Amino acid sequence: MCRREDTPVVALADDLSGAAEVAALLRRPTRLALDPADLAVPVAAGEAVVVDLDSRYLSDEAAAGVVRAALTAARTAADESAAEAGTDPADRHARPTGPSWDDPGLPRTALHDTAHRAFRAVSSGATDASYRRPLWYKKCDSLLRGPVGAEAAAFAEGAELLVIAPALPVAGRVVRGGAVLVDGAPLRDCAAWRAEERAAPRSVAEAMAPLPTANVPIEAVRQGPIALAGRFRRLAARGRHPVCDAETDTDLAVVAAAAALLGPDARLLGSGGLAAALGRRLGSSGSTVGSPGPTAHPSEPTTGPPGPTAHSPAPTARHTVPPAGERPLLVVAGSAEPAVGEQVARLVAAGARHLPLAPALLAGPAPVVLPELAPSTVTVLSVDGSDGVRPGAARRIVAGLARAVAALPGRPDLVLTGGETARRVLDAVGVTTLWPVGEIHHGAVHSRTADGRSVVTRPGSFGGPDSFLRVAAALRPGVLAPSSPVSTPHPPPPAPSGTAPSEQGVTQ
């Protein structure tokens, strides 16, 4: 059975910036929930819910438990919705009839034509109940950080097959020979992994343990979706889950098309790359994101189909906030990625106010008091790494940043870099749901809160030197002056031998 365009999607992520990235890439009305309890609300046809499980730094056992609980909650909501609609929940788990993936009558043409013809060939025998079953997606870190194996094993429970493809070609992260390479180098040489307590996995299969997997080489992927779906079936019969090589977005499109031919008993696990391929397959309106939620201010970019349904209601204002152009814009640079210093410097050169804070002050017990933000201004808050950051202090520093932001008077719009930073700040200010409305650049997702404020989240490792400038220009056009390239005024010193560099908010 091939998936229909109105198939509901349930996606689980281990951090907030990754969850927002997936929500923006699915090309449909989407609710981004910070509370897994939101899964109790069923997902309507043609819509999606993406949940940040906030599990990146949990133990393997705890992370697996969170994934299982989320699966159970979403299945329960779907079955209750089916019962209310007069459908026997048992029918939702029945396999549809119709031609199988290896029907010799299915044409072997170009990728999109093949997928379209395959859909027409199999859809005539599919039941409406099977279409109402959600498509399950698990977002993993493209660098395989966090308890990815424990979460994958839990996510695969009850599925016939879990198709795994963590490549993110747009960021130079490919899977070749079953291993992730970053700009051609293995993970062990990646700066982000030097901040982790675990050792970098040598292969995707090692990262996915204890899940039994088998590598699918690039040559097999490039045979096309029908042949690849056949290979997936054969691996499933052996009790193995496929780990797919992929070096381009086209490779990921083939993986998504092959998985679609397997029907609702197959689930997907990947980074934003596979989510983008999935969104291109499912998206019918050509939009990039889902429902815009609250009414947009004219200066704020919005995309996506208009209006949510009763299953994902538009947020209602709970507080009175000034129009977007009058609210302060606060950029919280919580990531330790080296590129962030250059991004901050360019924003400051364009006229933004800079508030660098000492790590020891943020990690201490006393709250940091920030100066009040003036209306219609742009301020960037960052961690001063000129004296280094002690390993192990990262999460305390992020917590200090979150407390400082939450104590600010007023309700500024927020730009949050690093998944850990974004989650801690939104928890501190009481935001539990976001409605994505657009991507300003890859990974920089613009969402709205229930009271109509803008929140932009972005993985710490994403974006070029002008990333913050592009975000500020999109949210506050004309407020800052164009900036010429500048050098970071105080580059962080190299970490002492035998210690890890700063790690606060590092994500994806």
Side-chain angles (χ1 to χ4, degrees), residues 143 167-176 180-185 247:
L143 299 178
L168 188 62
V170 71
R173 302 167 186 181
V174 305
V175 177
R176 185 180 302 149
V180 174
L181 301 177
V182 182
D183 295 326
E247 300 182 13

Side-chain angles (χ1 to χ4, degrees), residues 398-448:
V398 170
L401 277 172
R403 289 194 304 270
V405 173
L408 278 170
R411 296 179 176 275
D413 288 346
L414 298 170
V415 180
L416 307 171
T417 64
E420 175 76 359
T421 298
R423 179 58 192 251
R424 299 287 80 81
V425 169
L426 293 184
D427 283 348
V429 300
V431 172
T432 60
T433 308
L434 294 171
W435 284 263
V437 295
E439 258 194 328
I440 295 171
H441 65 69
H442 176 70
V445 179
H446 177 203
S447 302
R448 288 199 178 83

